[in-house]
Amino acid sequence: MNYNELSPEDFDAIVTGEMTHHAIWLEHELIGIISDHFVIKSRRSDFERLLMLREGLSFQDKIDIVRAAIPLFTNAAASRRLKNLLAKVEEFKGVRNVLAHGVGAQGAPNALNVEIVKRNGQIKVVTINTETHERLMTEAEGILTALKEVRAQLPC
C-alpha cells in the first residue's frame, strides 16, 4: 500500500487498524501457546471462550501468563526464544496502546503524533509516519512468524 497517497484521516484509520490487527494476531498466538499447554483438545474451545477471550483478561495478562509458564516448557531453546519474543510483543503492544488510547494530532503529511500519559505520570509521544509504520508492520509479522515457530517447538 502506498501510504503517501492517503488523506490524513485515511492514514490514521489504516495505520491504527493495521496495528490493531497485528496485535490481535499476536494475542491469539499467545492464547494458542497457553491453550496448547494447559488444555486437552476436547475442552479447548470452552477454555478459550470462557477464560482466554474474556473481556477482563487483557493482552498484558496473557503475556504475563505465558511468561510465568516458561519454566514449565521442556524445550529450553524454545523457552529462551519465547522469553525474548515476549519482550518484543510488549514493545509492539505499547505502540498499539498509544494509538488506541492516546490523543493524536496530525503531524507532517502522513504522520501521526500521539500522546499518552503513562501509569507513572510521564508523557509519551509516539510519531508514526510511513517509514515507521512499515517498519513496525514488518517487525510485527516477524514476531508473529517467530511465535508460531516457537509454539510448534513446545510440547503439548
Side-chain angles (χ1 to χ4, degrees), residues 51-117:
L51 298 171
M52 300 310 298
L53 298 175
R54 184 167 292 277
E55 184 176 41
L57 190 65
S58 70
F59 191 1
Q60 185 62 50
D61 290 333
K62 293 166 191 154
I63 293 169
D64 292 342
I65 291 167
V66 172
R67 185 174 285 123
I70 287 175
L72 304 175
F73 302 134
T74 56
N75 183 328
S79 294
R80 280 191 303 277
R81 189 169 178 209
L82 181 57
K83 183 177 179 181
N84 293 330
L85 286 169
L86 290 176
K88 292 178 182 182
V89 169
E90 281 183 307
E91 187 177 316
F92 181 83
K93 181 187 65 73
V95 175
R96 190 283 319 242
N97 283 352
V98 169
L99 287 174
H101 304 291
V103 177
Q106 190 65 38
N110 290 341
L112 301 171
N113 296 316
V114 186
E115 181 178 293
I116 193 165
V117 178

Side-chain angles (χ1 to χ4, degrees), residues 21-75:
H21 280 285
H22 279 77
I24 289 167
W25 296 330
L26 291 169
E27 185 172 356
H28 279 278
E29 200 59 32
L30 295 179
I31 290 169
I33 291 170
I34 295 165
S35 297
D36 289 349
H37 185 77
F38 289 106
V39 182
I40 59 173
K41 291 189 187 291
S42 65
R43 295 188 180 159
R44 184 183 185 111
S45 64
D46 291 336
F47 175 79
E48 290 181 357
R49 181 178 55 83
L50 294 172
L51 298 171
M52 300 310 298
L53 298 175
R54 184 167 292 277
E55 184 176 41
L57 190 65
S58 70
F59 191 1
Q60 185 62 50
D61 290 333
K62 293 166 191 154
I63 293 169
D64 292 342
I65 291 167
V66 172
R67 185 174 285 123
I70 287 175
L72 304 175
F73 302 134
T74 56
N75 183 328

Side-chain angles (χ1 to χ4, degrees), residues 101-149:
H101 304 291
V103 177
Q106 190 65 38
N110 290 341
L112 301 171
N113 296 316
V114 186
E115 181 178 293
I116 193 165
V117 178
K118 298 177 71 162
R119 291 179 187 187
N120 64 8
Q122 291 181 327
I123 294 174
K124 179 178 182 175
V125 177
V126 174
T127 299
I128 304 288
N129 56 35
T130 298
E131 293 78 26
T132 58
H133 179 65
E134 288 174 343
R135 179 182 51 78
L136 285 166
M137 294 299 91
T138 300
E139 288 173 4
E141 290 168 12
I143 296 166
L144 182 61
T145 297
L147 276 175
K148 289 178 180 185
E149 290 169 356

